[in-house]
Amino acid sequence: MPIAKPIEYADASAEVRAVYDDIMKTRGSDWVNNFWKYLAHDPKTLRRTWESVKEVMAPGALDPLVKEMIYVAVSVTNNCEYCIHSHTAGARAKGMTDAMLGELLAVVGMANETNRLANGWQVPVDDAFKVK
Amino acid sequence: MPIAKPIEYADASAEVRAVYDDIMKTRGSDWVNNFWKYLAHDPKTLRRTWESVKEVMAPGALDPLVKEMIYVAVSVTNNCEYCIHSHTAGARAKGMTDAMLGELLAVVGMANETNRLANGWQVPVDDAFKVK
Amino acid sequence: MPIAKPIEYADASAEVRAVYDDIMKTRGSDWVNNFWKYLAHDPKTLRRTWESVKEVMAPGALDPLVKEMIYVAVSVTNNCEYCIHSHTAGARAKGMTDAMLGELLAVVGMANETNRLANGWQVPVDDAFKVK
Amino acid sequence: MPIAKPIEYADASAEVRAVYDDIMKTRGSDWVNNFWKYLAHDPKTLRRTWESVKEVMAPGALDPLVKEMIYVAVSVTNNCEYCIHSHTAGARAKGMTDAMLGELLAVVGMANETNRLANGWQVPVDDAFKVK
Amino acid sequence: MPIAKPIEYADASAEVRAVYDDIMKTRGSDWVNNFWKYLAHDPKTLRRTWESVKEVMAPGALDPLVKEMIYVAVSVTNNCEYCIHSHTAGARAKGMTDAMLGELLAVVGMANETNRLANGWQVPVDDAFKVK
Amino acid sequence: MPIAKPIEYADASAEVRAVYDDIMKTRGSDWVNNFWKYLAHDPKTLRRTWESVKEVMAPGALDPLVKEMIYVAVSVTNNCEYCIHSHTAGARAKGMTDAMLGELLAVVGMANETNRLANGWQVPVDDAFKVK
C-alpha cells in the first residue's frame, strides 16, 4: 500500500499539470499512470524523471522494444512489482510476444544464477576479457 | 580473489573434460574461460549449468545479442564483476557497438532509479496494467 | 501474508512481555507494532534486536531523524514494505516533512542509478579518494 | 577493472569538455573524478547524469551533508565500491566526522538486518502506519 | 498480482503435462503448485527448471533439509514472497521446527548486517583466508 | 580498498582490547581478523556486533556448521567478498568438505534463479502454503 495519496490532475499545480500534459501528449494517451501521480509530491523529481525517461527510452542505437525488455530485466532482478507490470505492458505494446517474454525471464533467471556462481567462487576475470 | 584453484584441462576428470570439449566445440574456440574451471569443482553443476546456458542463450524468439545485453543488464544490477566482463565481451562479439553499450547502461541506471522511486512511494499497480 | 501468527501480549511468555513492556515504556506508547510480535517466536532474537535497535538509533553523533531517514533509504533500496512504512512513520514523528521525504527518495533513486553506472563501467577508484 | 578506457580532457569532444568544465567550476576544483570520464563514452548520459546529480544534491529541504550520507547508505547496501569511496570523501568534505561515519554504517547494518527479519516473517503493515 | 494466467492441467499441452505428472509423481502429491503453472508459459524453461531443481535438491553431500533452509535464506535476502512461502513449507515438511526457523532467520538477518559492515568499511581479506 | 586504517591491538583502547581479547579467547586463537579491526573505529558497534554474532552463531536448534553455510549463502547472494572468504573458512573449519561447498553454491545459484522466475511472473502464493 502506498505511503501517500496520488495527486490527480484536478488537484495538481500548474507545474505538475504541465508534466502530466506532456506525458499524455507524448504517448497519445488520455490518462497518466500512477507512478507519476506519486512522484508529483516532489515536482522537481517528477519533471526531471520524466525528462530523463523520455531521453533514455527514445529510439537510438538500441530500439525501444529492446530498451523496454532491459527495463523489465532490471525490474525483475530488483523485484519492483509496479515496474514489472508497467514495463511488461510497455514491452507488449511495442511488440513483445508471449514467447519473447518467456525467453526474457529465462535469461534473467539464468543470469541471476550464474552471477552467484561466479561471485560464490570469486572467479577472476580472464585476461582475454580485459580492456587493452 | 577466488576461494579455490581453477581446474585446468590437464588435471580434469573425463567427465569435466567432456564439458570443456563441448564448450570449445560449440564456440569454435581453443580455450575455456575461468568460470567453468571453478564450476568444475562440482561436475554435476558444471554440466547442468553449461547445458542450461546453451539452451537459454540459443537463438529463439529473442536473438542472441539481445539475450547477451539482458545478461549484462542483470549482471550490472547485481554487480557481478566477472559476469559484466564476460558478457560485455560476449555482446561485443555478437555486434554490440560502443553506442549500444552506452545506451544499455543508461537504461540499466534509469531502471534502478525508478524501481526505487516506485518502491519508495509503494505505488499501486494501475488497473490498466492488470491481467484480465 | 505472514508465515506465522503474531504473538499478542495476552499470550506472551514473561520473557517476551518484558521486551514488549520496555518497547512501550521507551516510546511512551500503549501498543507494540507487528514487527516485534513476529520476532517474539524467537525470544532471544526479539530481545537482542530490540536492545540493538535502541542502542543504534539513540541520539549520538547523528541525530535520530537523520538515522530514521537513513533507515528509510536502506529499506527502499531493499524494498522492505513493512520497514518503509514503519520508518517513514518514525521519521515523520521526528519531524520529517513531505518536502524532506520527496528529497530523500530523490537521493535514494539517484544513488541507485549512479551505483549501477559506476559498477557497469567498473570505474576504478581515484587516487584522491584512497585512504593514505 | 574497467570495461573501457577513461576519456581524458585532452581527448574529449567539445560536448564532453563543456560538462567537465561545469563540474570543475561548480566544485571549485581543477580535476574531474573518474566516474565522469567513463560516462563520457555516452555524452548524453554524461550530461543528463551531471545535471540530475547537481539538482538532486543541491541544498533544499535536506542539507547537503545529510544527502551525502544517504548516498553512502545506499552505496553500501548495494556494495558499489567506487560510490562508497567517492561519497564518503564527499561527506567528509562536508563535515562528516569519524564518529558520524561509524554511526551511519551502524544504522545501515541494522536496517539491512531488520529488513530481512521483517521480510522473512512477512510481517504485515500495522493499521497505524497506513495512510488515511 | 501475476502478469499472466496459470496454465491448469486440463488446458496444458502434452509437453507441459509430462512435467506436471513428474512433479506429482516425484512428490507423491496430487497437485502442482502455482510456480510451475506460470513457468508453463515457456515449456522449455518449465522442463529445464524442474529437472535442475530435482538434481540440485536431491540428497547428496548436504541433506535435503539443509538445502531447503539455504533456499529460504536466499529467498529472504532477495525478498521473494512466493519462494519464502513455498520453501518454508518445504523445510517444515522435511522437519524444520519453529525453533530452527527462528534461528535460521536470525542468521540471515545477522549476515545481511555484517555483509554491509564489511562492505561499508571495504575490509580487506585477511591473508589467513586466502587460498594457498 | 578500505576507507580507513585497521586498529591494531597495540593502538587500541582498553574498551576495544577487551573485545579483541574475548574474540581470541572464545576462538582459542592468537589473532583477530580484519573485520573487527575496522569495526573498532566505532567501539559500541564492535562490542554489540561481536556479542550478537556470538549469540546467533552458538549451537542451538541448528548446528554451527549449518549456520556457517547459511552465512555463506547470504554473503554470496549479496556479493560480500570479505564475508565469503571469512565464512567459507569458518565453515571449512567446522567440517564443510569440497563436495558440500559445491552443493551449497549450487543451491544458492538455483534459488537466485527461481526467485527471479517467481518474481518475474509475480506468482501468487498457493492457499496450501498459507498459515491457517
Side-chain angles (χ1 to χ4, degrees), chain D residues 76-81 84-85 98 101-102 105-106 108-110 112-113 116-117 119-122, chain E residues 76-81 84-85 98 101-102 105-106 108-110 112-113 116-117 119-122:
Chain D
V76 168
T77 298
N78 288 330
N79 193 19
C80 176
E81 183 181 6
I84 292 170
H85 280 277
D98 287 350
L101 173 61
L105 294 178
V108 169
M110 185 58 50
N112 271 287
E113 178 174 20
R116 269 56 180 216
L117 290 171
N119 283 341
W121 292 103
Q122 293 281 303
Chain E
V76 168
T77 298
N78 288 330
N79 193 18
C80 176
E81 183 182 6
I84 291 170
H85 280 277
D98 286 351
L101 174 60
L105 295 179
V108 170
M110 185 60 48
N112 271 287
E113 179 173 20
R116 270 55 179 217
L117 290 170
N119 284 342
W121 292 104
Q122 293 281 303

Side-chain angles (χ1 to χ4, degrees), chain B residues 103-122:
Chain B
E103 293 193 10
L104 165 57
L105 295 179
V107 176
V108 170
M110 185 59 49
N112 272 286
E113 178 173 22
T114 60
N115 280 191
R116 270 57 179 216
L117 291 171
N119 283 342
W121 293 103
Q122 293 280 303

Side-chain angles (χ1 to χ4, degrees), chain F residues 40-53:
Chain F
H41 286 281
D42 182 9
K44 264 193 197 173
T45 298
L46 171 67
R47 182 198 44 69
R48 186 185 61 252
T49 306
W50 169 243
E51 295 296 341
S52 294
V53 166

Side-chain angles (χ1 to χ4, degrees), chain D:
Chain D
M1 77 211 63
I3 63 167
K5 288 181 180 298
I7 296 181
E8 302 294 343
Y9 193 93
D11 308 313
S13 66
E15 185 183 6
V16 166
R17 281 188 183 185
V19 177
Y20 287 2
D21 286 339
D22 191 51
I23 291 171
M24 291 187 284
K25 186 180 152 202
T26 302
R27 295 178 168 170
S29 166
D30 63 352
W31 67 291
V32 169
N33 57 310
N34 282 339
F35 179 68
W36 309 106
K37 293 183 186 168
Y38 287 85
L39 285 202
H41 286 280
D42 182 9
K44 265 193 194 171
T45 297
L46 171 67
R47 181 198 43 70
R48 185 184 63 252
T49 306
W50 169 243
E51 295 295 341
S52 294
V53 165
K54 256 203 305 191
E55 183 175 297
V56 169
M57 301 304 280
L62 296 179
D63 74 73
L65 172 54
V66 169
K67 289 183 175 182
E68 283 288 358
M69 291 192 297
I70 291 167
Y71 227 107
V72 173
V74 171
S75 302
V76 168
T77 298
N78 288 330
N79 193 19
C80 176
E81 183 181 6
Y82 185 83
C83 315
I84 292 170
H85 280 277
S86 60
H87 289 281
T88 51
R92 284 183 195 279
K94 290 185 178 67
M96 181 178 70
T97 62
D98 287 350
M100 291 164 79
L101 173 61
E103 292 193 11
L104 164 57
L105 294 178
V107 176
V108 169
M110 185 58 50
N112 271 287
E113 178 174 20
T114 59
N115 280 191
R116 269 56 180 216
L117 290 171
N119 283 341
W121 292 103
Q122 293 281 303
V123 180
V125 176
D126 302 80
D127 285 340
F129 295 148
K130 294 180 185 170
V131 171
K132 303 298 179 294

Side-chain angles (χ1 to χ4, degrees), chain C residues 16 33 68 85 117:
Chain C
V16 166
N33 56 310
E68 283 288 356
H85 280 276
L117 290 170

Side-chain angles (χ1 to χ4, degrees), chain C residues 47-127:
Chain C
R47 183 197 43 68
R48 186 185 62 252
T49 307
W50 168 244
E51 295 295 340
S52 295
V53 166
K54 258 203 306 189
E55 182 173 299
V56 169
M57 300 304 279
L62 296 178
D63 74 73
L65 172 54
V66 168
K67 290 183 175 182
E68 283 288 356
M69 291 193 296
I70 290 167
Y71 227 107
V72 172
V74 171
S75 302
V76 168
T77 297
N78 288 329
N79 193 19
C80 176
E81 183 182 6
Y82 185 83
C83 315
I84 292 170
H85 280 276
S86 60
H87 289 280
T88 50
R92 285 183 195 279
K94 290 185 177 68
M96 181 178 70
T97 62
D98 287 350
M100 291 163 79
L101 174 61
E103 292 192 12
L104 164 57
L105 295 179
V107 176
V108 170
M110 185 58 50
N112 271 287
E113 178 173 20
T114 60
N115 280 191
R116 269 57 178 216
L117 290 170
N119 283 342
W121 293 102
Q122 293 281 305
V123 179
V125 176
D126 302 81
D127 286 340

Side-chain angles (χ1 to χ4, degrees), chain A:
Chain A
M1 76 210 65
I3 63 167
K5 288 179 179 300
I7 295 180
E8 302 295 342
Y9 193 92
D11 307 316
S13 67
E15 185 183 7
V16 166
R17 281 188 184 185
V19 178
Y20 286 4
D21 286 339
D22 191 50
I23 291 172
M24 291 187 284
K25 188 181 152 198
T26 302
R27 294 177 170 171
S29 165
D30 62 352
W31 66 291
V32 170
N33 57 310
N34 281 338
F35 180 69
W36 309 106
K37 293 182 187 168
Y38 287 86
L39 286 202
H41 285 281
D42 183 9
K44 266 193 193 173
T45 297
L46 171 68
R47 183 198 44 69
R48 185 184 63 251
T49 306
W50 168 244
E51 295 296 339
S52 294
V53 166
K54 258 204 303 191
E55 183 174 298
V56 169
M57 300 304 280
L62 296 179
D63 75 73
L65 172 54
V66 169
K67 290 183 174 182
E68 283 287 358
M69 290 193 296
I70 291 167
Y71 227 107
V72 172
V74 172
S75 303
V76 168
T77 297
N78 288 330
N79 192 20
C80 176
E81 182 181 7
Y82 185 83
C83 316
I84 292 170
H85 280 277
S86 60
H87 288 281
T88 50
R92 285 183 195 279
K94 290 187 178 67
M96 181 177 70
T97 62
D98 287 350
M100 292 163 78
L101 173 61
E103 292 193 11
L104 164 57
L105 295 179
V107 176
V108 170
M110 185 59 49
N112 271 288
E113 178 172 20
T114 59
N115 280 191
R116 270 57 178 217
L117 291 170
N119 284 343
W121 293 103
Q122 293 281 304
V123 180
V125 177
D126 302 80
D127 285 341
F129 296 147
K130 295 179 184 169
V131 170
K132 301 299 179 297

